[in-house]
Amino acid sequence: MWGPQLPTFVCTFEVFTPLEKAISNPMSQPHSPAANDSPFTQYEIRIKGHLDPRWSHWFEGYEIALKDNGETLLSGPVVDQAALHGLLIKVRDLGLPLVSVTPVQPEQTENAN
């Protein structure tokens, strides 16, 4: 033996998407007793041009709606500002011109029935 032996630590971790992390983390849950409150903010992100609906998986399941005016509307829940910035980075990385980013109440979404 060459001297005192140091303890060995084994670290394990799981990788979650921001949405999965917020759902599984009780600290992310709303503090309000109202049952209809959501810890997520709904966003509508408008981009210039039509994005193929197959990109929905890359945009973490966001709904992709092609508009008659030539724009694409991405809509869905955002856990926090970091997740929103991640989505905007994806838009930028595709070279898509950003038209607008709008937080909306779920009943106010353009695609609501």
Side-chain angles (χ1 to χ4, degrees), residues 22-96:
I23 291 171
S24 66
N25 183 355
M27 296 302 291
S28 297
Q29 301 305 314
H31 299 288
S32 167
N36 61 354
D37 285 345
S38 172
F40 310 110
T41 301
Q42 296 288 322
Y43 275 87
E44 291 182 346
I45 301 171
R46 288 185 180 273
I47 55 177
K48 188 172 184 177
H50 281 166
L51 182 64
D52 192 287
R54 290 179 291 170
W55 284 98
S56 181
H57 178 72
W58 199 58
F59 282 101
E60 300 176 11
Y62 267 61
E63 183 177 334
I64 296 178
L66 307 179
K67 299 301 175 182
D68 292 336
N69 63 358
E71 294 177 349
T72 298
L73 179 68
L74 298 171
S75 57
V78 175
V79 176
D80 56 20
Q81 289 293 301
L84 177 60
H85 283 267
L87 287 169
L88 296 176
I89 288 170
K90 289 181 178 188
V91 169
R92 181 207 60 199
D93 289 349
L94 288 176
L96 302 170

Side-chain angles (χ1 to χ4, degrees), residues 96-110:
L96 302 170
L98 183 63
V99 175
S100 67
V101 178
T102 309
V104 294
Q105 296 299 321
E107 61 275 0
Q108 292 177 338
T109 58
E110 188 173 306

